[in-house]
Amino acid sequence: MANLDPALIPLSLYIHMPWCVRKCPYCDFNSHAVPDGKLSLDLEREYLHALVEDFKTQVDFAQGRSIHSVFIGGGTPSLISAKGYVWLFQQLKNLLNFEDDCEITLEANPGTVEHDPFAGYLQAGINRLSIGVQSFNTEHLKRLGRIHSNQDAVQAILHAKEAGFERINVDLMHGLPEQTLEQALYDLKLAVQSGATHISWYQLTIEPSTVFFKTQPILPNEDVLEQIQLQGEAFLIDNGFINYEVSAWRKERPSAHNLNYWQFGDYLAIGAGAHGKVTRPDGVYRFQKTRLPKDYLAKVPAEHVHFQAIEAEDMPFEFMMNALRLNQGVASALYTERTGQSLEQMEQRLNSLRTRKLMQDDPNRLACTEQGHLFLNSVLEEFLL
């Protein structure tokens, strides 16, 4: 492995807020229902202070770099007050420099945010929202366990625009229990009409650790799912959206934070269950925090970090698993820069994929063909041991 230069690699920050009003039956994220559906001010303060102490232990990982982007995920990060975020960012910026044009995204639930807080979040320095709508159909929302209604979702987007947010992502799922083609397309239509500038549109998957896995709801058949995908994509294209990643569609610039993930950049991580990745001259490391909020709050930061080096033989898959999600892929030179390995060791596998028309026949670019994206999992298997 070549000597790596962290200075060449953008550095982001992920902040995990682990609480939500209630756990949704499809959700396998690290989220936990708050008592009485409301986060107390004392618990908010305790957790924000723990985040700062956690961040202090990671400042050295920056190795002279500034924070390129921030993503606040959960859980439901909009359960934290705007004043809480003002205080948090003041503390973090005292410890490490944030780039002047740093993208800061907050995940927001339409059921926990009203008009005034959006303006407060904007004033706190948050400049991009990701609103977890999932569906504009009230019956589907009930089946998904969401606490908001169709009208709540539409109003959340409109209120965010009125508050001054110019970058608004809407999260939408399709292939929902008993969902029809018409219903799925209507969800996309409302997202576009309401003013979304970015749409994350992905099919519901039933994960083993969820309530849905135990109850097994009735999902649309394969023919309906195929038509939802084909007609949904056509609708988004007709409305000026660009599909730049497997499930990401944009009318504005791409998400800087997500691009950094997909391009195998580095990211610090604070909060219960948060996962991070850092590059050092001797290798690339992943780390994660203890999962349960009560354990995270009870331990000093140094005790709840688990570090693990990405082994040399795992690096091709780790890199490609991210980079090949992008429709345009990445420059070939990025592989050596971000992994410390030469592409020559993968030449045989790359040539095989190019011969089968699954990867683009361009030595300067690592990217799937249209056919390759349809069989992305099979392509990625080529990079496993």
Side-chain angles (χ1 to χ4, degrees), residues 53 77 97 105 137 144 157 193-194 205 221 223 241 255 271 282 284 297 341 344 364 373:
E53 294 304 310
N97 186 58
T105 301
N137 182 300
L144 291 172
I157 300 169
Q193 288 181 344
S194 298
T205 55
N221 62 42
D223 290 339
F241 282 82
S255 163
D282 64 339
V284 183
L297 291 170
Q341 296 184 358
E344 292 179 1
N364 297 315
H373 276 292

Side-chain angles (χ1 to χ4, degrees), residues 65-307:
R65 293 172 289 179
S66 299
I67 296 295
H68 164 76
S69 65
V70 179
F71 193 94
I72 310 164
T76 305
S78 49
L79 286 174
I80 303 291
S81 69
K83 288 183 179 179
Y85 284 115
V86 170
W87 180 87
L88 177 62
F89 287 126
Q90 286 174 342
Q91 306 308 308
L92 299 183
K93 290 178 180 180
N94 286 338
L95 295 166
L96 199 60
N97 186 58
F98 282 45
E99 293 179 7
D100 290 340
D101 59 349
C102 182
E103 175 191 278
I104 302 178
T105 301
L106 174 79
E107 283 189 338
N109 185 331
T112 59
V113 180
E114 297 176 358
H115 191 192
D116 289 338
F118 275 129
Y121 292 133
L122 188 66
Q123 291 169 5
I126 293 161
N127 49 35
R128 184 175 182 270
L129 287 177
S130 182
I131 302 178
V133 172
Q134 311 311 348
S135 175
F136 288 96
N137 182 300
T138 298
E139 287 304 311
H140 287 149
L141 289 169
K142 288 178 181 177
R143 291 175 187 170
L144 291 172
R146 305 297 288 178
I147 64 172
H148 64 274
S149 67
N150 172 338
Q151 194 61 26
D152 290 334
V154 172
Q155 289 300 311
I157 300 169
L158 296 178
H159 287 162
K161 291 174 61 180
E162 290 172 4
F165 278 97
E166 298 178 354
R167 305 185 65 197
I168 302 170
N169 173 68
V170 168
D171 269 348
L172 282 180
M173 291 193 293
H174 59 87
L176 305 179
E178 302 181 36
Q179 185 181 45
T180 65
L181 168 63
E182 291 73 22
Q183 289 170 336
L185 295 178
Y186 185 69
D187 279 349
L188 284 176
K189 181 179 179 180
L190 269 186
V192 172
Q193 288 181 344
S194 298
T197 60
H198 188 287
I199 297 175
S200 297
W201 189 57
Y202 47 92
Q203 185 177 324
L204 170 67
T205 55
I206 307 299
E207 302 294 345
S209 59
T210 64
V211 172
F212 270 2
F213 185 78
K214 299 173 184 176
T215 59
Q216 291 297 316
I218 299 172
L219 301 180
N221 62 42
E222 290 299 322
D223 290 339
V224 173
L225 291 173
E226 182 180 5
Q227 286 304 309
I228 288 174
Q229 190 72 42
L230 291 174
Q231 294 191 38
E233 289 176 356
F235 173 81
L236 288 168
I237 291 170
D238 287 345
N239 282 274
F241 282 82
I242 299 169
N243 181 209
Y244 69 102
E245 185 269 345
V246 171
S247 59
W249 295 77
R250 65 179 180 87
K251 254 192 171 180
E252 38 126 354
R253 61 187 183 276
S255 163
H257 192 86
N258 288 339
L259 271 182
N260 197 34
Y261 286 154
W262 297 323
Q263 293 173 348
F264 213 55
D266 282 354
Y267 45 99
L268 306 181
I270 57 177
H275 290 245
K277 169 187 169 288
V278 291
T279 302
R280 293 175 174 174
D282 64 339
V284 183
Y285 298 83
R286 293 198 184 280
F287 63 92
Q288 63 187 72
K289 308 304 177 66
T290 190
R291 187 172 183 274
L292 295 177
K294 64 180 180 63
D295 293 339
Y296 179 81
L297 291 170
K299 296 180 179 181
V300 297
E303 292 178 339
H304 58 229
V305 181
H306 173 67
F307 261 93

Side-chain angles (χ1 to χ4, degrees), residues 348-359:
Q348 186 173 350
R349 283 179 278 185
L350 291 171
N351 286 337
S352 173
L353 290 165
R354 287 165 179 157
T355 300
R356 287 179 281 158
K357 309 298 183 185
L358 295 174
M359 285 189 68

